[in-house]
Amino acid sequence: MVLAEPAGRGDQFEETDVYLRTAEAAKILRVSGKTVSRWAKDGKIPHVITLGGHRRFPETAVRRLADRLSIEATNESSDGATLDSL
């Protein structure tokens, strides 16, 4: 169990959520760890801050975002549109 406080978007997370480290979230999202950290800082991806000051990301939220980005990328390649900002 991660002892942390919610940060970003004011989301409340289930105590049963699995939390990912930045590198784990980045791998699922197919972006760099710095991008994930920037998205968290900008409030674009929900996260918690551990007592040690590290960010952790709820796996369910990361996977939903990855699915959404995948759908947007598919739509972009089929109709020439650009990805909207998060």
Side-chain angles (χ1 to χ4, degrees):
M1 182 169 137
V2 175
L3 297 176
E5 57 186 55
R9 292 193 174 194
D11 293 331
Q12 296 299 318
F13 306 119
E14 298 293 322
E15 202 167 306
T16 58
D17 272 344
V18 173
Y19 290 87
L20 305 173
R21 291 183 173 98
T22 302
E24 295 168 326
K27 185 175 181 179
I28 291 170
L29 294 167
R30 297 181 180 186
V31 297
S32 72
K34 287 190 177 206
T35 297
V36 173
S37 294
R38 186 173 56 251
W39 287 350
K41 180 181 171 189
D42 293 344
K44 295 180 179 181
I45 184 170
H47 64 284
V48 296
I49 305 291
T50 67
L51 295 176
H54 299 279
R55 290 185 182 95
R56 297 291 184 261
F57 303 90
E59 183 177 18
T60 53
V62 171
R63 294 202 182 275
R64 274 195 310 264
L65 178 57
D67 290 343
R68 193 176 104 206
L69 292 174
S70 176
I71 290 169
E72 288 180 8
T74 301
N75 289 341
E76 175 186 324
S77 66
S78 65
D79 66 9
T82 60
L83 285 175
D84 293 332
S85 65
L86 295 174

